[in-house]
Amino acid sequence: MSVEHDEAIDPNYAKALSAWARKITGSYFDSFEEKDSNDGLRVKLDAIFNWAYRVKVRRSGKLFGKETLEIHGVWEANQSFPIVSSLAASELVDVSLGFPLVWLARDIEAYGWDYDLVGCADNKWAKPIVDRVGNWPDYRELDLNESFWHERPLPIDHGDKVSRSILGFEGQESNLASIHRWNVMYLDGYSGEADAELNSIQIVEAPTFRLDGEIIPKGQVNSVLLRASELLAADSL
């Protein structure tokens, strides 16, 4: 993640980042309210949000099963999140299309910032995936080399499902003897299927970054993210 071709960080950005780092670590920082504010460093994404159910699968002829994840890829547009951790800032440096963002996804889960996301319950499949007679697959691997991903505007609606697979068994799901999602027991004694958790985010469109409401020029993005990573790492010690 070299930034030798990027501009030195603008002093005003450096000052704003220092203030942001102090705010995040302050005793009055409200992570829930911060989700929709214009303060601090933020990233705006058009991306695939990968949701994961914990499952236990078993192959035909096998006595014992294996624990893994059932991953649902959902297209979400115009989603904005604060960058509040060193690792989330670092993984966004020189981020390439298709790259899975893990630490940002973990921050979204940890701070409860998923309330504006569609999630993965009862999503319809994206139109390019449904065939001419209206049939859709049970499972389908994500392939960003497919032609429709290069169309602009994308022929996909906000909240459409674009992939579903079993981790470690991609393309072999139909051959599995059983796939069981985990259940959870609630305080009232009710038992039900555990909710999916946000597992990762895959970039499809180049993200936009803002600092205190101002769009950061492309030449400054990497320098700003690296400085943010340094400041947030220091403040977490």
Side-chain angles (χ1 to χ4, degrees):
M1 296 187 295
S2 172
V3 295
E4 60 181 353
H5 298 299
D6 291 286
E7 305 168 6
I9 189 168
D10 184 302
N12 291 323
Y13 289 154
K15 183 178 180 180
L17 285 171
S18 295
W20 176 237
R22 290 193 299 270
K23 181 178 182 179
I24 291 171
T25 56
S27 57
Y28 296 104
F29 178 68
D30 188 326
S31 61
F32 194 76
E33 287 188 1
E34 207 59 52
K35 163 67 170 65
D36 296 316
S37 81
N38 284 320
D39 292 347
L41 182 60
R42 314 180 67 82
V43 59
K44 184 177 181 181
L45 301 168
D46 291 341
I48 299 164
F49 286 68
N50 293 311
W51 297 86
Y53 290 98
R54 295 178 66 185
V55 295
K56 189 169 186 177
V57 303
R58 184 174 61 82
R59 292 179 184 271
S60 298
K62 298 291 184 179
L63 182 61
F64 298 105
K66 178 179 180 180
E67 294 180 10
T68 183
L69 299 175
E70 178 185 325
I71 307 291
H72 293 241
V74 177
W75 173 251
E76 300 257 9
N78 297 316
Q79 294 290 351
S80 178
F81 301 97
I83 298 173
V84 297
S85 70
S86 174
L87 291 169
S90 180
E91 72 178 349
L92 283 161
V93 177
D94 280 334
V95 66
S96 57
L97 301 187
F99 182 82
L101 302 174
V102 175
W103 295 104
L104 179 61
R106 291 186 182 183
D107 286 348
I108 293 169
E109 276 282 334
Y111 291 111
W113 291 335
D114 57 356
Y115 56 84
D116 279 336
L117 298 175
V118 174
C120 64
D122 301 320
N123 310 73
K124 66 180 178 65
W125 282 93
K127 289 179 182 178
I129 295 172
V130 179
D131 67 21
R132 293 182 178 179
V133 294
N135 296 319
W136 56 85
D138 288 327
Y139 293 91
R140 191 177 196 275
E141 288 187 75
L142 178 67
D143 182 2
L144 291 177
N145 290 318
E146 289 184 288
S147 60
F148 70 85
W149 286 111
H150 303 283
E151 297 179 26
R152 294 297 180 272
L154 282 170
I156 302 173
D157 294 329
H158 178 75
D160 280 356
K161 184 180 295 184
V162 295
S163 66
R164 181 187 179 197
S165 61
I166 302 295
L167 185 65
F169 300 89
E170 294 87 347
Q172 306 172 47
E173 291 90 351
S174 62
N175 297 325
L176 293 171
S178 63
I179 302 172
H180 294 293
R181 293 180 182 172
W182 279 55
N183 279 1
V184 293
M185 181 70 73
Y186 298 97
L187 293 177
D188 60 2
Y190 173 75
S191 176
E193 187 177 282
D195 292 334
E197 295 184 351
L198 187 60
N199 178 267
S200 65
I201 303 167
Q202 284 179 272
I203 299 294
V204 175
E205 303 273 5
T208 301
F209 297 90
R210 292 178 180 267
L211 184 55
D212 292 338
E214 178 185 333
I215 294 178
I216 303 171
K218 290 182 179 180
Q220 283 281 300
V221 166
N222 280 349
S223 298
V224 166
L225 289 171
L226 282 175
R227 179 63 62 87
S229 180
E230 293 170 0
L231 291 169
L232 295 173
D235 283 332
S236 67
L237 297 177

